[in-house]
Amino acid sequence: MNEQNPTTLRMRLMFATSGPLAYVSVLDLGRLWERALRRAAIPLRYSLGFNPRPKMQFAAPLPTGCGSEAEWLDIWLTEPCEPAAIATALARTLPPDLHVIEITWVPEDAPALSELMRAVTYRVLLRDVVAAELETACAALLKEKNVLRAKRGRRRHQHYDLRQLIETLSVTPALEPWTVALEMRLKAQAGATGRPDEVLSALGLADVPRRCTRTGLFLSSPAEAPDL
């Protein structure tokens, strides 16, 4: 934990999720954090108005069904607190599948995490997949100039280019009961964010049993990002 003593009241929490929390929506995850922070008596800053909400910002929504080894959450306080004290208090209120890795101070005027996001990495464990065949499929996908995919939601007749969102793909061994692990680094910017399920679909693996974990988030400025 960072043990400096600046005047900023903005804190950055790095945390990990696993187990059932992989299937919790980003809204429910926000509510979970709000309850845990309140029960830990962390002096959160709230918005004004008829429905005050704690001032909190996640770096990027976590796809449903995906666990994570390194998520970021910024919170704003009404009074200074030591990172170690916050970590100790949260250890008593967070569920076992969610734990804090690191807490640091952040300048209050620093850009929002969502504005700094540039890329994310995922590890997808796959079953009943031959490593050599997957390596061939990945190489073929990376050679494509364009991979058009239909947009979700209301824009069903519009498409986006998935290939431009894929930075790297690699295949590594996996422990049983999994056959291989597919490592991917995808762009994650406003209006241009790659999704692991879309990559799997483009590889013809949409229906293959899998376990997905987000392993890292990368910012545009190294000085703003906690060490992974």
Side-chain angles (χ1 to χ4, degrees):
M1 301 295 171
N2 186 341
E3 293 297 340
Q4 305 173 40
N5 189 25
T7 58
T8 180
L9 297 176
R10 179 178 176 181
M11 312 294 290
R12 180 160 298 168
L13 287 67
M14 177 188 288
F15 66 94
T17 65
S18 61
L21 285 185
Y23 300 95
V24 171
S25 69
V26 66
L27 292 177
D28 287 335
L29 186 60
R31 296 187 187 101
L32 188 156
W33 267 108
E34 182 179 344
R35 289 195 300 269
L37 289 163
R38 185 172 61 249
R39 291 171 180 170
I42 306 301
L44 286 175
R45 187 185 307 176
Y46 281 75
S47 63
L48 302 177
F50 294 104
N51 186 28
R53 305 296 302 173
K55 190 169 183 182
M56 304 165 45
Q57 291 180 351
F58 288 98
L62 187 64
T64 301
C66 188
S68 178
E69 295 178 352
E71 293 299 298
W72 296 332
L73 169 67
D74 279 5
I75 62 174
W76 280 257
L77 309 178
T78 58
E79 60 186 67
C81 288
E82 290 293 323
I86 295 177
T88 299
L90 284 173
R92 297 191 293 266
T93 61
L94 289 173
D97 291 330
L98 194 162
H99 68 274
V100 174
I101 301 171
E102 183 180 39
I103 302 177
T104 57
W105 278 284
V106 180
E108 291 200 52
D109 59 353
L113 281 168
S114 58
E115 297 176 11
L116 296 171
M117 284 291 301
R118 289 297 176 266
V120 294
T121 52
Y122 294 92
R123 180 189 306 114
V124 184
L125 300 177
L126 299 166
R127 191 180 300 167
D128 304 325
V129 175
V130 178
E133 295 178 357
L134 180 55
E135 289 174 349
T136 299
C138 288
L141 180 59
L142 292 174
K143 286 181 180 178
E144 295 287 346
K145 290 185 177 180
N146 305 100
V147 179
L148 297 182
R149 304 286 297 178
K151 289 187 175 181
R152 299 185 177 189
R154 299 178 180 178
R155 300 179 179 181
R156 294 183 179 179
H157 300 294
Q158 296 186 23
H159 295 79
Y160 73 97
D161 189 355
L162 175 65
R163 177 62 189 88
Q164 304 309 311
L165 304 180
I166 303 173
E167 295 189 356
T168 62
L169 295 173
S170 62
V171 180
T172 59
L175 298 176
E176 293 184 357
W178 309 102
T179 309
V180 297
L182 175 59
E183 309 279 352
M184 59 181 79
R185 177 172 168 130
L186 310 177
K187 288 185 179 178
Q189 304 175 20
T193 298
R195 294 178 56 89
D197 57 330
E198 290 286 302
V199 176
L200 292 173
S201 181
L203 291 169
L205 301 173
D207 298 323
V208 172
R210 62 182 182 266
R211 176 185 295 169
C212 179
T213 301
R214 187 150 72 185
T215 56
L217 296 90
F218 299 87
L219 305 183
S220 59
S221 172
E224 292 289 340
D227 293 333
L228 297 180

